[in-house]
């Protein structure tokens, strides 16, 4: 791995080193996080790469080969896959979802009932369109939201279980029987929408989702360590994963040596199923920064990416105005949503340094990335602790990275 001299790329090396000090003293030595890996790049060139903490309990430190569960950082990859099909003329951003997934033809909006009582529904004002899946205005939800009788029905049906009864088609069939929380396009709610988008990719392309990812995205980009199932010969590289439990602190969630990610999932989750490395995700980021191309492999057209990275919320609204979500991988004020990414629309409202038009997302195990096309800057942060909202680490990292720019 080649690392450029920070000063040659407009960074103060001592200020970059201060980020590592913060990670080590505030998060690793204190036991808040099991490990941390930070990659910062400018113009696609890595200017900073650091590791701290153990990959596994009592084991060696994380390093450039360490594999991390990236959870919702899968979503931008699924969104890119969909837009590749748009570029082929096989589907459009405003196509009604039921044109590809006929199971959704008669899906309706919650209007009462649930919790053991039959649902009362009303028709949607507009059909759910692909843009609603891409920007999370579909009316779908997540079972972990714990907000409504609709997400309770998701839990009861165990429809999000990767190793449960449903494959991707079965998941769509079960989901289509549960009403939407709101009429598509009228509000924002973090949801299984990108899993539904994965089913769209599978139906339109005629390829299983994992095969489409491998052949059309990962192989061309040389992302050789990104997959839904960790191969047996790479399992030693998979880190332990933890969750915070009230009264107990950090407890083991998924042990790397016997991980659920070592088994083939029945349900391929375009919303959260992938494992990757910081270096692989850096290649994905660099392709985005380059307008859809990396090392001669073109994944998307430049203008397609321009479309994806604009704020598509109705009326150019922000998440603070539109969100009904209990939880999201984004701060809400000044943040719009594009076709697969959160978009910084008003830097002042976010109260964190950045650029208008920068786009980003994160995962439930506290991983994160951002791409700033104005400053030609990108970041990948890896660790393995849920929930991602517990510590303000993403805000701290972003503040310190921009503070290190000269």
């Amino acid at each position: 791995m080649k690392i450029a001299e920070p000063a040659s790329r407009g960074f103060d090396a001592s200020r970059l080193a201060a980020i590592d000090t913060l990670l080590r003293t505030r998060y690793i030595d204190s036991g808040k996080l099991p490990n941390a890996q930070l990659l910062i790049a400018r113009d696609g060139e890595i200017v900073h790469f650091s590791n701290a903490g153990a990959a596994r309990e009592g084991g060696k430190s994380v390093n450039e080969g360490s594999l991390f569960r990236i959870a919702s950082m899968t979503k931008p990859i699924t969104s890119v896959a969909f837009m590749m099909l748009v570029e082929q003329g096989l589907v459009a951003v405003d196509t009604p979802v039921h044109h590809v997934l006929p199971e959704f033809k008669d899906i309706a909006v919650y209007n009462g009932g649930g919790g053991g009582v039959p649902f009362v529904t009303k028709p949607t004002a507009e059909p759910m369109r692909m843009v609603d899946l891409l920007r999370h205005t579909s009316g779908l939800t997540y079972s972990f939201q714990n907000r409504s009788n609709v997400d309770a029905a998701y839990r009861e049906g165990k429809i999000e279980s990767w190793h449960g009864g449903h494959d991707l088609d079965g998941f769509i069939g079960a989901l289509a029987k549960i009403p939407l929380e709101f009429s598509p396009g009228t509000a924002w709610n973090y949801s299984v929408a990108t899993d539904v988008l994965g089913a769209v990719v599978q139906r339109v392309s005629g390829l299983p989702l994992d095969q489409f990812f491998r052949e059309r995205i990962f192989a061309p980009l040389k992302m050789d360590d990104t997959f839904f199932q960790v191969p047996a010969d790479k399992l030693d590289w998979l880190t332990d994963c933890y969750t915070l439990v009230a009264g107990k602190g950090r407890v083991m969630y998924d042990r790397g040596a016997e991980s659920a990610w070592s088994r083939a999932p029945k349900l391929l989750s375009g919303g959260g199923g992938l494992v990757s490395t910081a270096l692989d995700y850096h290649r994905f980021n660099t392709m985005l920064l380059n307008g859809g191309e990396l090392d001669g492999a073109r994944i998307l057209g430049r203008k397609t990416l321009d479309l994806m990275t604009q704020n598509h919320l109705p009326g150019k609204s922000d998440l603070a105005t539109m969100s009904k979500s209990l939880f999201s991988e984004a701060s809400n004020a000044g943040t719009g949503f594009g076709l697969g990414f959160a978009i910084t629309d008003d830097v002042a409202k976010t109260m964190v340094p950045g650029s208008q038009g920068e786009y980003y997302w994160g995962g439930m195990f506290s991983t994160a990335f951002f791409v700033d096309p104005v400053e030609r800057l990108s970041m990948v942060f890896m660790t393995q602790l849920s929930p991602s909202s517990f510590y303000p680490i993403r805000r701290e990292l972003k503040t310190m990275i921009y503070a290190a720019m000269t």
Side-chain angles (χ1 to χ4, degrees):
M1 174 180 37
K2 187 180 165 199
I3 299 179
E5 181 64 39
S8 73
R9 287 289 166 192
F11 282 96
D12 181 319
S14 66
R15 286 185 164 220
L16 290 176
I19 306 174
D20 294 341
T21 301
L22 174 103
L23 286 171
R24 192 171 58 254
T25 57
R26 184 172 295 175
Y27 289 102
I28 306 301
D29 293 349
S30 66
K32 288 184 174 78
L33 291 179
N35 47 50
Q37 189 173 80
L38 178 64
L39 185 157
I40 303 166
R42 200 158 194 194
D43 284 314
E45 280 197 51
I46 299 169
V47 296
H48 183 83
F49 188 88
S50 62
N51 298 287
R56 290 187 178 177
E57 224 168 33
K60 63 186 179 185
S61 176
V62 289
N63 59 39
E64 65 184 70
S66 295
L67 292 165
F68 298 87
R69 302 152 193 80
I70 62 170
S72 288
M73 280 167 59
T74 305
K75 288 178 169 73
I77 295 172
T78 304
S79 302
V80 162
F82 173 80
M83 294 305 291
M84 293 168 78
L85 299 173
V86 171
E87 288 192 330
Q88 289 180 258
L90 298 174
V91 66
V93 173
D94 64 350
T95 298
V97 174
H98 70 265
H99 286 193
V100 176
L101 305 176
E103 296 95 324
F104 275 66
K105 174 111 176 64
D106 298 316
I107 200 161
V109 180
Y110 178 80
N111 200 33
V117 177
F119 282 121
V120 178
T121 62
K122 59 186 178 184
T124 60
E126 293 284 337
M128 185 196 300
R129 302 181 193 278
M130 299 301 174
V131 66
D132 294 309
L133 299 178
L134 287 153
R135 68 186 181 186
H136 291 288
T137 56
S138 62
L140 298 164
T141 189
Y142 263 128
S143 61
F144 63 72
Q145 294 264 14
N146 284 306
R147 292 170 50 253
S148 70
N149 284 342
V150 175
D151 61 52
Y154 283 38
R155 288 192 296 281
E156 192 180 331
K158 296 185 170 65
I159 60 170
E160 294 168 48
S161 173
W162 300 348
H163 296 281
H166 296 303
D167 61 8
L168 205 38
D169 287 331
F171 163 79
I172 294 299
L175 193 59
K177 292 183 173 73
I178 301 171
L180 302 174
E181 286 201 337
F182 51 83
S183 197
T186 61
W188 189 93
N189 187 41
Y190 197 37
S191 76
V192 298
T194 318
D195 290 288
V196 176
L197 197 68
V200 171
V201 170
Q202 193 164 275
R203 296 260 182 110
V204 172
S205 69
L207 294 173
L209 188 63
D210 54 350
Q211 188 181 337
F212 186 96
F213 281 0
R214 170 60 41 210
E215 292 177 7
R216 300 285 302 276
I217 300 174
F218 301 154
L221 292 180
K222 299 184 174 63
M223 292 171 65
D224 298 327
D225 292 314
T226 305
F227 15 66
F228 285 108
Q229 179 186 8
V230 180
D233 64 345
K234 294 192 174 179
L235 192 59
D236 284 350
W237 296 97
L238 182 62
T239 49
D240 286 342
C241 189
Y242 299 82
T243 191
L244 286 169
V245 176
K248 293 184 180 177
R250 201 179 87 197
V251 301
M252 186 71 71
Y253 172 81
D254 183 70
R255 203 174 288 280
E258 56 230 27
S259 173
W261 276 262
S262 68
R263 309 195 305 275
K266 185 165 185 181
L267 176 65
L268 292 169
S269 172
L274 289 173
V275 164
S276 190
T277 64
L279 288 173
D280 266 19
Y281 214 90
H282 164 63
R283 291 189 67 78
F284 182 73
N285 279 352
T286 307
M287 176 274 292
L288 298 172
L289 192 63
N290 289 349
E293 181 272 339
L294 180 64
D295 296 342
R298 179 156 293 284
I299 303 300
L300 281 176
R302 178 175 63 86
K303 296 302 286 185
T304 301
L305 264 170
D306 284 351
L307 178 67
M308 293 179 75
T309 54
Q310 294 179 52
N311 181 11
H312 284 260
L313 294 181
K316 297 284 185 188
S317 187
D318 69 358
L319 298 187
T321 307
M322 285 200 71
S323 178
K324 290 185 180 296
S325 191
L326 181 73
F327 172 82
S328 157
E329 296 292 346
S331 58
N332 286 352
T335 302
F337 214 88
L339 305 181
F341 312 93
I343 311 290
T344 298
D345 225 25
D346 187 325
V347 178
K349 283 184 179 176
T350 71
M351 293 190 278
V352 179
S355 299
Q356 185 175 15
E358 154 211 327
Y359 50 97
Y360 64 95
W361 205 236
M364 71 177 285
F365 301 117
S366 303
T367 62
F369 83 95
F370 72 78
V371 175
D372 180 342
V374 177
E375 298 290 350
R376 306 278 304 159
L377 174 68
S378 63
M379 178 208 80
V380 182
F381 176 70
M382 297 292 202
T383 186
Q384 297 283 258
L385 177 78
S386 72
S388 62
S389 54
F390 199 77
Y391 300 120
I393 187 163
R394 293 170 178 169
R395 186 180 72 210
E396 293 162 352
L397 287 172
K398 194 160 175 279
T399 300
M400 295 183 80
I401 290 168
Y402 280 96
M405 294 175 69
T406 49

Coordinates of all heavy atoms in Angstrom, one line a residue, residues 61-104:
S61 N -3.4 -7.2 16.2 CA -4.0 -5.9 15.9 C -4.7 -6.0 14.5 O -4.3 -6.8 13.7 CB -2.9 -4.8 15.9 OG -3.5 -3.6 15.5
V62 N -5.7 -5.1 14.3 CA -6.3 -5.0 13.0 C -5.2 -4.5 12.0 O -4.3 -3.8 12.4 CB -7.5 -4.1 12.9 CG1 -8.7 -4.7 13.6 CG2 -7.2 -2.7 13.5
N63 N -5.3 -4.9 10.8 CA -4.3 -4.4 9.8 C -5.0 -4.3 8.4 O -6.3 -4.4 8.4 CB -3.1 -5.4 9.7 CG -3.5 -6.8 9.3 OD1 -4.4 -7.0 8.5 ND2 -2.8 -7.8 9.9
E64 N -4.3 -4.0 7.4 CA -4.9 -3.7 6.1 C -5.7 -4.9 5.5 O -6.6 -4.7 4.7 CB -3.9 -3.2 5.1 CG -2.9 -4.2 4.7 CD -1.8 -3.6 3.8 OE1 -1.0 -2.8 4.2 OE2 -1.8 -4.0 2.6
G65 N -5.5 -6.1 6.0 CA -6.2 -7.2 5.5 C -7.5 -7.6 6.3 O -8.3 -8.4 5.9
S66 N -7.7 -6.8 7.4 CA -8.8 -7.1 8.3 C -10.1 -6.9 7.6 O -10.3 -6.0 6.9 CB -8.8 -6.2 9.6 OG -7.6 -6.5 10.3
L67 N -11.1 -7.9 7.8 CA -12.4 -7.8 7.2 C -13.4 -7.3 8.3 O -13.4 -7.8 9.4 CB -12.8 -9.2 6.8 CG -12.0 -9.8 5.6 CD1 -12.3 -11.3 5.5 CD2 -12.4 -9.1 4.3
F68 N -14.3 -6.4 7.8 CA -15.3 -5.8 8.7 C -16.7 -5.9 8.1 O -16.8 -5.8 6.9 CB -15.0 -4.3 8.9 CG -13.6 -4.0 9.5 CD1 -12.5 -3.9 8.7 CD2 -13.6 -3.8 10.9 CE1 -11.3 -3.6 9.3 CE2 -12.3 -3.5 11.5 CZ -11.2 -3.4 10.7
R69 N -17.7 -6.2 9.0 CA -19.0 -6.2 8.5 C -19.5 -4.7 8.3 O -19.5 -3.9 9.2 CB -19.9 -6.8 9.6 CG -19.5 -8.3 10.0 CD -19.9 -8.6 11.4 NE -19.3 -9.8 11.9 CZ -18.0 -9.9 12.3 NH1 -17.2 -8.8 12.4 NH2 -17.5 -11.0 12.8
I70 N -19.7 -4.4 7.0 CA -20.0 -3.0 6.7 C -21.5 -2.6 6.8 O -21.8 -1.4 6.6 CB -19.4 -2.6 5.3 CG1 -20.0 -3.3 4.2 CG2 -17.9 -2.7 5.4 CD1 -19.6 -2.8 2.8
A71 N -22.3 -3.6 7.0 CA -23.8 -3.3 7.2 C -24.3 -2.4 6.2 O -24.2 -2.6 5.0 CB -24.0 -2.8 8.6
S72 N -24.8 -1.2 6.6 CA -25.5 -0.3 5.6 C -24.6 0.4 4.7 O -25.1 1.1 3.7 CB -26.4 0.7 6.4 OG -27.5 0.1 7.0
M73 N -23.3 0.2 4.8 CA -22.4 0.7 3.7 C -22.6 -0.2 2.5 O -22.0 0.1 1.4 CB -21.0 0.8 4.2 CG -20.8 2.1 5.0 SD -19.2 2.1 5.9 CE -18.0 1.9 4.7
T74 N -23.4 -1.2 2.6 CA -23.8 -2.0 1.4 C -24.7 -1.2 0.6 O -24.8 -1.4 -0.7 CB -24.5 -3.3 1.9 OG1 -23.6 -4.0 2.8 CG2 -24.9 -4.2 0.8
K75 N -25.5 -0.4 1.2 CA -26.6 0.4 0.4 C -26.1 1.2 -0.8 O -26.7 1.1 -1.8 CB -27.4 1.3 1.4 CG -28.3 0.5 2.4 CD -29.0 1.5 3.3 CE -30.1 0.8 4.1 NZ -29.6 -0.1 5.2
P76 N -25.0 1.9 -0.7 CA -24.6 2.7 -1.8 C -24.1 1.7 -3.0 O -24.3 2.1 -4.2 CB -23.4 3.5 -1.3 CG -23.6 3.7 0.1 CD -24.3 2.4 0.6
I77 N -23.6 0.5 -2.6 CA -23.2 -0.4 -3.7 C -24.4 -0.9 -4.4 O -24.5 -1.0 -5.7 CB -22.4 -1.6 -3.0 CG1 -21.1 -1.0 -2.5 CG2 -22.2 -2.7 -4.1 CD1 -20.3 -2.0 -1.7
T78 N -25.5 -1.2 -3.7 CA -26.8 -1.7 -4.3 C -27.4 -0.6 -5.2 O -27.9 -0.8 -6.2 CB -27.8 -2.1 -3.2 OG1 -27.2 -3.1 -2.4 CG2 -29.1 -2.7 -3.8
S79 N -27.3 0.6 -4.7 CA -27.8 1.8 -5.4 C -27.0 2.0 -6.7 O -27.6 2.3 -7.8 CB -27.7 3.0 -4.6 OG -28.5 2.9 -3.4
V80 N -25.7 1.8 -6.7 CA -24.9 1.9 -7.9 C -25.3 0.8 -8.9 O -25.4 1.0 -10.1 CB -23.4 1.8 -7.5 CG1 -22.5 1.5 -8.8 CG2 -22.9 3.2 -7.0
A81 N -25.5 -0.4 -8.3 CA -25.9 -1.6 -9.2 C -27.2 -1.2 -9.9 O -27.3 -1.5 -11.1 CB -26.1 -2.8 -8.3
F82 N -28.2 -0.7 -9.2 CA -29.5 -0.3 -9.8 C -29.2 0.7 -10.9 O -29.8 0.6 -12.0 CB -30.4 0.3 -8.8 CG -31.7 0.8 -9.4 CD1 -32.7 0.0 -9.8 CD2 -31.8 2.2 -9.6 CE1 -33.9 0.5 -10.4 CE2 -33.0 2.7 -10.2 CZ -34.0 1.9 -10.6
M83 N -28.4 1.8 -10.7 CA -28.2 2.8 -11.6 C -27.5 2.3 -12.9 O -27.6 2.9 -14.0 CB -27.5 4.0 -11.0 CG -28.3 4.7 -9.9 SD -29.9 5.3 -10.5 CE -29.4 6.6 -11.6
M84 N -26.7 1.2 -12.7 CA -26.1 0.6 -13.9 C -27.1 0.0 -14.8 O -27.0 0.1 -16.1 CB -25.1 -0.5 -13.4 CG -23.9 0.0 -12.7 SD -23.0 -1.4 -11.9 CE -22.1 -2.1 -13.3
L85 N -28.2 -0.5 -14.3 CA -29.3 -1.0 -15.1 C -30.1 0.1 -15.7 O -30.6 0.0 -16.8 CB -30.2 -1.9 -14.2 CG -29.5 -3.1 -13.6 CD1 -30.4 -3.8 -12.6 CD2 -29.1 -4.1 -14.7
V86 N -30.2 1.3 -15.0 CA -30.9 2.4 -15.5 C -30.1 2.9 -16.8 O -30.7 3.2 -17.8 CB -30.9 3.6 -14.5 CG1 -31.4 4.9 -15.1 CG2 -31.9 3.2 -13.3
E87 N -28.8 2.9 -16.7 CA -27.9 3.3 -17.8 C -28.1 2.4 -19.0 O -27.9 2.8 -20.2 CB -26.5 3.3 -17.4 CG -26.1 4.5 -16.5 CD -24.6 4.7 -16.3 OE1 -23.9 3.7 -16.4 OE2 -24.2 5.8 -16.1
Q88 N -28.5 1.1 -18.8 CA -28.7 0.2 -19.9 C -30.1 0.3 -20.5 O -30.5 -0.4 -21.4 CB -28.5 -1.2 -19.4 CG -27.1 -1.6 -19.1 CD -27.1 -3.1 -18.6 OE1 -26.9 -3.4 -17.4 NE2 -27.2 -4.0 -19.6
G89 N -31.0 1.2 -19.9 CA -32.3 1.4 -20.4 C -33.3 0.3 -20.0 O -34.4 0.2 -20.5
L90 N -32.9 -0.5 -18.9 CA -33.7 -1.6 -18.5 C -34.8 -1.2 -17.5 O -35.7 -2.0 -17.2 CB -32.8 -2.7 -18.0 CG -31.8 -3.3 -19.0 CD1 -30.9 -4.3 -18.3 CD2 -32.5 -4.0 -20.1
V91 N -34.6 -0.1 -16.8 CA -35.5 0.4 -15.8 C -35.2 1.9 -15.6 O -34.1 2.4 -16.2 CB -35.2 -0.4 -14.4 CG1 -33.8 -0.1 -13.9 CG2 -36.3 -0.1 -13.4
A92 N -36.0 2.6 -15.0 CA -35.8 4.1 -14.8 C -36.0 4.5 -13.3 O -36.6 3.7 -12.6 CB -36.8 4.9 -15.7
V93 N -35.5 5.6 -13.0 CA -35.6 6.1 -11.6 C -37.0 6.3 -11.2 O -37.4 6.1 -10.0 CB -34.7 7.4 -11.4 CG1 -34.9 8.0 -10.1 CG2 -33.3 7.1 -11.6
D94 N -37.9 6.7 -12.1 CA -39.3 6.9 -11.8 C -40.2 5.8 -12.1 O -41.4 5.9 -12.1 CB -39.8 8.2 -12.4 CG -39.8 8.2 -14.0 OD1 -39.3 7.2 -14.5 OD2 -40.4 9.1 -14.6
T95 N -39.7 4.6 -12.5 CA -40.5 3.4 -12.7 C -41.2 3.0 -11.5 O -40.6 2.9 -10.4 CB -39.6 2.2 -13.2 OG1 -38.9 2.6 -14.4 CG2 -40.4 0.9 -13.4
P96 N -42.5 2.8 -11.5 CA -43.2 2.2 -10.4 C -42.7 0.9 -10.0 O -42.4 0.0 -10.8 CB -44.7 2.1 -10.8 CG -44.8 3.1 -11.9 CD -43.5 3.1 -12.6
V97 N -42.5 0.7 -8.7 CA -41.8 -0.6 -8.2 C -42.6 -1.8 -8.6 O -42.0 -2.8 -9.0 CB -41.7 -0.5 -6.7 CG1 -41.1 -1.8 -6.1 CG2 -40.7 0.6 -6.3
H98 N -43.9 -1.7 -8.7 CA -44.7 -2.9 -9.0 C -44.6 -3.3 -10.5 O -44.9 -4.4 -10.9 CB -46.2 -2.7 -8.7 CG -46.9 -1.7 -9.5 ND1 -47.1 -0.4 -9.2 CD2 -47.6 -1.9 -10.7 CE1 -47.8 0.2 -10.1 NE2 -48.1 -0.7 -11.0
H99 N -44.0 -2.5 -11.3 CA -43.7 -2.9 -12.7 C -42.7 -4.0 -12.8 O -42.6 -4.8 -13.7 CB -43.3 -1.7 -13.5 CG -44.4 -0.8 -13.9 ND1 -44.3 0.2 -14.8 CD2 -45.7 -0.6 -13.4 CE1 -45.5 0.9 -14.9 NE2 -46.3 0.4 -14.1
V100 N -41.7 -4.0 -11.8 CA -40.7 -5.0 -11.7 C -41.0 -6.0 -10.6 O -40.8 -7.2 -10.8 CB -39.3 -4.3 -11.4 CG1 -38.2 -5.4 -11.2 CG2 -38.9 -3.4 -12.5
L101 N -41.6 -5.6 -9.5 CA -42.0 -6.5 -8.4 C -43.6 -6.4 -8.3 O -44.1 -5.7 -7.6 CB -41.4 -6.0 -7.1 CG -39.9 -5.8 -7.1 CD1 -39.5 -5.3 -5.7 CD2 -39.2 -7.2 -7.4
P102 N -44.3 -7.3 -9.1 CA -45.7 -7.2 -9.1 C -46.4 -7.5 -7.8 O -47.5 -7.1 -7.6 CB -46.1 -8.3 -10.2 CG -44.9 -9.1 -10.4 CD -43.7 -8.3 -10.1
E103 N -45.6 -8.1 -6.9 CA -46.1 -8.3 -5.5 C -46.6 -7.0 -4.9 O -47.4 -7.0 -4.0 CB -45.1 -9.0 -4.6 CG -44.7 -10.4 -5.1 CD -43.4 -10.4 -6.0 OE1 -43.3 -9.4 -6.8 OE2 -42.6 -11.4 -5.9
F104 N -46.0 -5.9 -5.3 CA -46.2 -4.6 -4.6 C -47.4 -3.9 -5.3 O -47.7 -2.8 -4.9 CB -45.0 -3.7 -4.7 CG -44.0 -4.0 -3.6 CD1 -43.4 -5.2 -3.4 CD2 -43.8 -3.0 -2.7 CE1 -42.5 -5.4 -2.4 CE2 -42.9 -3.2 -1.6 CZ -42.2 -4.4 -1.5

